[in-house]
Structure formats: C-alpha cells, structure tokens
C-alpha cells in the first residue's frame, strides 16, 4: 500500500458551492487507493438523516455524527489513513487541535466547511483550520440573482435579507439560504426592531 503522509486539506466556500460533493469525490478516490476512511459530521446537522453526508445534488457517503470535536479523537481507529470532517464550522474550537493531532499521526485529514456565515464574517474555527492546512481550496457557488460566481451565503427571513444582528433562530419565521456574489449579498446593519417598523 502506498504511504500517504499526514496532511490537512480544507475545502471552504458558501452554501451550494459543492463542498460536500468535492469531499465525497476525494473519498471515492481514496477508496480506490484502498485507504481506510472514517467520516465525521456534527450531530446537529440533521438535514439528510444522521448517518450520512449528502450533497445538494444527491451523492452520499456514510458518516458518524459526533456532538463534540474531542469525540473524533476517541473514535478514530487503528489503521485509519483518511479522516474526513464535513460542516466543520459547527464544531467547537477544539476541532483545530484534533485535526492537527490526526495529521501529526500521519493521517490525511480532509475538512469541509462554510468559511463565512450569512453576515460574511469568519465562521467558527474555519479561519484557524484554513491557516493550519497544507492545502486550501476555496470554491464558489453560482449567484442566484445574476449567475456570477458566488462566494457568499445570503440568509433570507420571510423573503427579506436577514439583518446583521438577527438572532440565529427566529421562531415562526420562514428561513432560506441562497448563494450570492459580493454585489448581491445583502446584510442590512440596523436592528430587527427597526426593520419591523419599516
Ligand atoms: P455544499 O456542501 O457546498 O453546500 P453540495 O456539494 O451539497 O454543496 O451541493 C452542490 C450542488 O448544489 C451543485 O453541484 C448543484 O447541483 C447544486 N446547486 C444548487 N444551487 C446552486 C447554486 N446556487 N450554485 C451552485 N450549485 C448549486
Ligand atoms: Mg455540504
């Protein structure tokens, strides 16, 4: 078996940019290379059932849901050569030391996640993971408004752009996320109260 040295690869971009698709593509190739693969995702991501990664285009790969980054270290088995982590932005900061420890052990670690939140701000541990990585691929989606390349995620609440300070959970509101280019990404800065009075 070909030796693959430890390394960290990050796949970053907005929603719909193909991060999970790209992660699955790399894992399929690692399978062909007869690597021993383990895949993890945060258990709060329940969009497509808990035991799988699933891309918006329909491809799937088995994954183990974990509540905290530290659990990944406990669960990685002897002989595993490739560890993949999807939706890394949702993990606590410990994910950065977990990823480093795995790569130091000689494991190829492939991490996918949103680099920015709906406000365009750095998302959780992603900036540190990007700096730690040997390889970073920043990929874009397609802007829903104009068809240009889209590096950002637009959050819409009841059809209107979410404000910078809107709470993460709004009970009773319909929420939608879209990929947008810089020009069409809107994050109004005034408060929720002011918006309601408009
Ligand atoms: P991510 O994990 O980054 O959210 P996925 O890998 O789940 O992305 O999905 C990527 C797929 O989503 C694309 O191949 C395409 O079929 C679909 N898609 C839907 N909306 C868009 C969009 N606005 N831009 C690009 N792809 C989109
Ligand atoms: Mg994804």
């Amino acid at each position: 078996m070909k030796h693959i040295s430890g390394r960290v690869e990050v796949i970053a971009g907005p929603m719909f940019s193909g991060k999970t698709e790209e992660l699955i593509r790399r894992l399929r190739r690692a399978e062909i290379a007869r690597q021993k693969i383990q895949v993890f995702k945060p258990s709060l991501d329940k969009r497509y059932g808990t035991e799988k990664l699933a891309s918006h285009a329909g491809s799937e790969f088995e994954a183990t849901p974990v509540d905290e980054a530290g659990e990944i270290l406990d669960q990685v088995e002897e002989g595993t050569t490739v560890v993949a982590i999807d939706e890394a932005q949702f993990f606590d900061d410990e994910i950065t030391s977990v990823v480093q420890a795995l790569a130091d052990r000689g494991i190829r670690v492939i991490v996918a996640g949103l680099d920015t939140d709906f406000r365009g701000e750095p998302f959780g541990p992603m900036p540190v993971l990007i700096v730690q990585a040997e390889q970073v691929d920043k990929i874009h989606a397609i802007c829903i408004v104009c068809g240009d390349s889209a590096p950002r995620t637009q959050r819409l609440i009841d059809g209107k752009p979410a404000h910078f300070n809107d709470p993460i959970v709004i009970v009773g509101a319909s929420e939608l996320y879209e990929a947008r280019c810089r020009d069409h990404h809107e994050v109004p800065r005034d408060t929720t109260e002011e918006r309601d009075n408009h």
Side-chain angles (χ1 to χ4, degrees):
M1 190 55 54
K2 184 176 177 289
H3 172 74
I4 295 185
S5 53
R7 56 190 261 114
V8 181
E9 300 166 25
V10 170
I11 304 163
M15 282 180 72
F16 305 105
S17 59
K19 300 181 298 298
T20 302
E21 250 172 27
E22 175 60 19
L23 185 60
I24 292 172
R25 188 186 75 87
R26 291 185 197 183
L27 294 175
R28 299 249 185 270
R29 291 169 61 88
E31 278 183 323
I32 293 168
R34 281 175 275 146
Q35 300 301 302
K36 181 171 173 188
I37 300 167
Q38 285 186 262
V39 184
F40 299 95
K41 62 174 209 169
S43 48
L44 67 86
D45 177 35
K46 299 223 165 69
R47 286 177 301 172
Y48 305 98
T50 51
E51 311 273 306
K52 273 188 249 167
L53 303 184
S55 81
H56 292 104
S59 50
E60 293 181 347
F61 206 95
E62 298 225 336
T64 305
V66 289
D67 291 327
E68 287 175 8
E71 286 175 42
I72 295 174
L73 274 187
D74 301 336
Q75 296 217 31
V76 171
E77 294 161 11
E78 187 78 29
T80 291
T81 52
V82 178
V83 169
I85 302 166
D86 200 8
E87 303 288 355
Q89 77 280 352
F90 288 138
F91 280 110
D92 49 293
D93 288 345
E94 203 189 341
I95 192 75
T96 60
S97 49
V98 167
V99 163
Q100 292 286 61
L102 293 172
D104 287 346
R105 261 195 236 169
I107 292 174
R108 176 186 176 200
V109 188
I110 318 173
V111 180
L114 293 166
D115 49 354
T116 57
D117 63 16
F118 73 91
R119 302 172 302 181
E121 300 288 312
F123 208 144
M126 289 298 290
V128 175
L129 290 168
I130 285 170
V131 169
Q132 289 173 339
E134 271 86 356
Q135 180 186 333
V136 179
D137 290 285
K138 182 157 174 167
I139 56 178
H140 291 176
I142 300 297
C143 176
I144 284 299
V145 178
C146 70
D148 199 356
S149 185
R152 300 204 181 168
T153 304
Q154 177 72 47
R155 181 187 187 202
L156 298 167
I157 299 171
D158 294 331
K160 295 190 211 88
H163 289 226
F164 193 89
N165 292 322
D166 275 341
I168 295 300
V169 178
I170 300 181
V171 179
S174 80
E175 267 203 85
L176 192 70
Y177 291 88
E178 288 180 349
R180 300 266 185 112
C181 68
R182 180 185 285 270
D183 286 351
H184 291 118
H185 185 246
E186 291 177 73
V187 190
R189 285 270 170 173
D190 48 350
T191 65
T192 308
E193 209 175 313
E194 283 167 348
R195 180 191 57 187
D196 290 343
N197 293 336
H198 282 167

